[in-house]
Amino acid sequence: MNSHLINRSLGAISEQVFQQAETTRLLHALQPAPNIQYSSSNEDREDVEAAERAESRVCAHPAGVNCLEIDNFESRYLLSGGADSSIHIWDLEAVENTTQSCIYHPLGTVRKSPSSHNFGVTELSFYPFDSFAFLSSSYDHYLKIYSTETLEVSASFDLSSVVYSHALSPVADHLLVACVTQHPAVRLVDLRSGASAHSLAGHSGAVLSVAWSPYNVNILATAGSDGTARLWDIRRSTGCLGLLDLEDSVGTIGNTAMERILRPIDRRKAHVGACNGVAWTDDGDYLITAGHDERIRIWSATTGANTLSHFGPTIKNANFSTLLPVLPPGYLTGPGKQVMFYPNDNEILMFDLLEGTLHKRLKAPWITVAQARGSMGQRNIRNRVTALAWRSGHIELYSAHSDGVIRTWMPRTKEDAELEAEELEEAAGAMDEDKNRKRKREALNEVYRDLTRQKLTFH
């Protein structure tokens, strides 16, 4: 950091280069923040220290956390969905000093009821232009809309199949929700009319993940259990623009800029096995897919070509639920240097997005096998990372876990460690000084008591 400060003061580097160097350094310094916990129970509010002494596990959702979502307007409110069908909303600014031990408690909770979900929540998302409402989908076949203020259900849509995921376009005003379910057709639900607009047919099995293009309001990508990743134009009668092919490293250029995509061929597969994750980079240049063949692949969004980025043999992916990587904003690191966080079983891997280089393994002292409490009682589960969320405007990562815990990851640099060590030394020195004062005071008291106990004789 000192070299960048010197170069910036001399004008050798621009302000943007200095900023990207500093944010990149902070990204590489992410560490778990064990002092920050999230509890759905108010019992912990009165005795945080007792919980720490007992090393008890403070749970956000006792049955496990399935999904996370942070609003893009204030980057203040966190939504969490549980395997017990509950939804919590958390205020990330409720605690001013997060350097001390603290426990967050939800602002509000949606619990299992006739109007809410009856099974585990699979996906949560805020409205793209208004954080006063959010959507949720569940294994109970329903897509629901909630008011953020009242947490009351505003609308409910029965899709007649298990809903694995849903997505709203971040730039469109058509308010179409793309829903992927056990049914092989992608359902588009129009929030204005309250009806299903139309379906996109093409997958031969359950569709597990969906993502809208960050720039084109009519383009979306899906991934399914048939191993295919498809791109769609919702304006077309046929819908499907093409399939991504793991064996194609060249790609095919279409007739127009909007059609620079692979022509549909039935034999094309993105993964050898189910494909349960698809995401776009924030500039719309690349697509990321993850599959049960334990591979992550990066694709050119303009040509559909496989970039052949190799992420090594460390990838683990065996669950049928949607598994999405998290991409911090590209401006933090600069062009060509973007990083990706991937929920890899019981750890989080930090990769270079285009090169596939493993930068860091983020681990916390969690247990491998945990106990989850649900409607059927207590059961043992294998603990894993189920979802990730990035807090815009901050260098903060949030992770959901099947043991019911939400964890916060914050930068802890070498300078921070040195400062903490100095503060500990100062605190230890102050304690030693207090002990010395107490010892001197006790010695003086003993002298005084000895003097007052002696009998004085006057001649």
Side-chain angles (χ1 to χ4, degrees):
M1 180 182 177
N2 291 333
S3 62
H4 288 106
L5 284 172
I6 294 172
N7 289 332
R8 176 58 188 150
S9 62
L10 295 175
I13 59 175
S14 65
E15 181 181 352
Q16 184 180 10
V17 171
F18 174 75
Q19 180 183 3
Q20 290 173 349
E22 179 62 13
T23 52
T24 300
R25 186 177 73 92
L26 293 176
L27 281 171
H28 286 264
L30 280 175
Q31 298 287 344
N35 56 302
I36 301 176
Q37 296 176 303
Y38 300 82
S39 173
S40 59
S41 172
N42 288 327
E43 295 176 359
D44 300 316
R45 189 188 296 272
E46 300 176 355
D47 200 356
V48 176
E49 295 180 358
E52 289 178 349
R53 286 195 298 268
E55 297 183 354
S56 60
R57 184 169 55 93
V58 179
C59 291
H61 296 268
V65 189
N66 286 351
C67 50
L68 297 175
E69 173 76 358
I70 299 177
D71 77 285
N72 291 323
F73 296 91
E74 300 179 75
S75 295
R76 175 175 179 175
Y77 298 107
L78 170 70
L79 288 172
S80 62
D84 57 356
S85 75
S86 64
I87 300 173
H88 297 317
I89 182 168
W90 314 81
D91 184 357
L92 299 179
E93 297 180 3
V95 179
E96 293 183 0
N97 185 10
T98 56
T99 58
Q100 303 295 326
S101 295
C102 59
I103 292 184
Y104 285 87
H105 295 268
L107 287 176
T109 299
V110 179
R111 301 195 184 278
K112 185 176 180 179
S113 69
S115 62
S116 63
H117 291 299
N118 294 319
F119 297 109
V121 180
T122 58
E123 187 74 31
L124 292 166
S125 59
F126 281 100
Y127 260 34
F129 308 114
D130 185 0
S131 61
F132 288 102
F134 66 89
L135 289 85
S136 68
S137 55
S138 168
Y139 291 109
D140 64 2
H141 303 181
Y142 278 91
L143 173 74
K144 293 181 182 290
I145 306 174
Y146 290 88
S147 166
T148 306
E149 292 183 335
T150 63
L151 296 180
E152 296 292 333
V153 177
S154 304
S156 184
F157 305 91
D158 184 1
L159 301 180
S160 303
S161 294
V162 170
V163 187
Y164 290 112
S165 183
H166 69 266
L168 276 160
S169 173
V171 292
D173 58 358
H174 51 54
L175 290 183
L176 291 177
V177 185
C179 301
V180 291
T181 68
Q182 278 184 327
H183 194 276
V186 182
R187 299 279 296 276
L188 297 178
V189 177
D190 190 346
L191 297 183
R192 284 199 176 96
S193 64
S196 178
H198 62 281
S199 299
L200 304 174
H203 285 281
S204 60
V207 192
L208 304 177
S209 184
V210 60
W212 287 89
S213 167
Y215 280 99
N216 193 310
V217 299
N218 299 303
I219 304 296
L220 60 87
T222 58
S225 60
D226 56 1
T228 64
R230 295 172 179 263
L231 291 135
W232 310 83
D233 187 336
I234 62 173
R235 298 168 298 182
R236 290 191 172 198
S237 57
T238 55
C240 187
L241 288 174
L243 291 82
L244 302 177
D245 184 6
L246 62 90
E247 297 182 358
D248 184 2
S249 60
V250 178
T252 303
I253 304 296
N255 297 324
T256 67
M258 302 309 303
E259 295 174 344
R260 292 176 181 176
I261 227 70
L262 287 175
R263 297 189 182 97
I265 299 175
D266 293 339
R267 295 181 180 179
R268 296 184 184 273
K269 301 280 185 181
H271 291 269
V272 182
C275 182
N276 62 342
V278 62
W280 299 76
T281 55
D282 55 359
D283 56 11
D285 289 341
Y286 295 96
L287 274 163
I288 303 99
T289 60
H292 282 191
D293 55 0
E294 299 188 336
R295 294 288 185 271
I296 299 173
R297 293 192 169 92
I298 311 298
W299 313 82
S300 169
T302 54
T303 65
N306 183 359
T307 62
L308 303 179
S309 299
H310 185 58
F311 294 87
T314 58
I315 303 300
K316 297 178 182 178
N317 186 353
N319 293 281
F320 209 60
S321 57
T322 303
L323 194 65
L324 296 174
V326 159
L327 303 171
Y331 64 81
L332 294 177
T333 54
K337 299 179 180 179
Q338 193 168 1
V339 298
M340 174 183 71
F341 293 95
Y342 180 76
N344 194 56
D345 200 26
N346 61 354
E347 63 182 353
I348 302 170
L349 303 180
M350 178 181 175
F351 289 104
D352 182 286
L353 179 63
L354 299 181
E355 297 295 331
T357 307
L358 178 61
H359 288 313
K360 195 171 186 178
R361 304 173 85 113
L362 299 177
K363 292 186 176 182
W366 51 59
I367 54 179
T368 306
V369 178
Q371 289 185 336
R373 299 191 303 274
S375 57
M376 303 299 291
Q378 204 168 58
R379 58 191 173 89
N380 290 330
I381 59 170
R382 189 171 184 274
N383 192 18
R384 64 184 182 90
V385 185
T386 55
L388 299 175
W390 183 263
R391 189 180 182 189
S392 300
H394 302 74
I395 310 294
E396 292 179 14
L397 180 68
Y398 294 81
S399 59
H401 301 263
S402 57
D403 63 352
V405 174
I406 298 174
R407 287 185 170 88
T408 303
W409 305 78
M410 292 181 172
R412 187 175 184 271
T413 61
K414 182 180 179 181
E415 290 82 0
D416 294 332
E418 292 175 352
L419 182 60
E420 289 178 8
E422 290 178 2
E423 291 176 351
L424 288 174
E425 288 179 3
E426 291 177 0
M431 289 178 64
D432 292 338
E433 188 176 347
D434 290 340
K435 289 180 180 178
N436 290 333
R437 289 178 180 174
K438 185 177 181 181
R439 199 161 38 248
K440 290 179 181 179
R441 193 180 302 111
E442 289 177 351
L444 290 174
N445 289 337
E446 288 180 5
V447 171
Y448 176 77
R449 282 195 299 270
D450 292 341
L451 289 174
T452 54
R453 288 172 185 169
Q454 293 181 359
K455 293 182 179 181
L456 299 179
T457 305
F458 298 93
H459 297 282

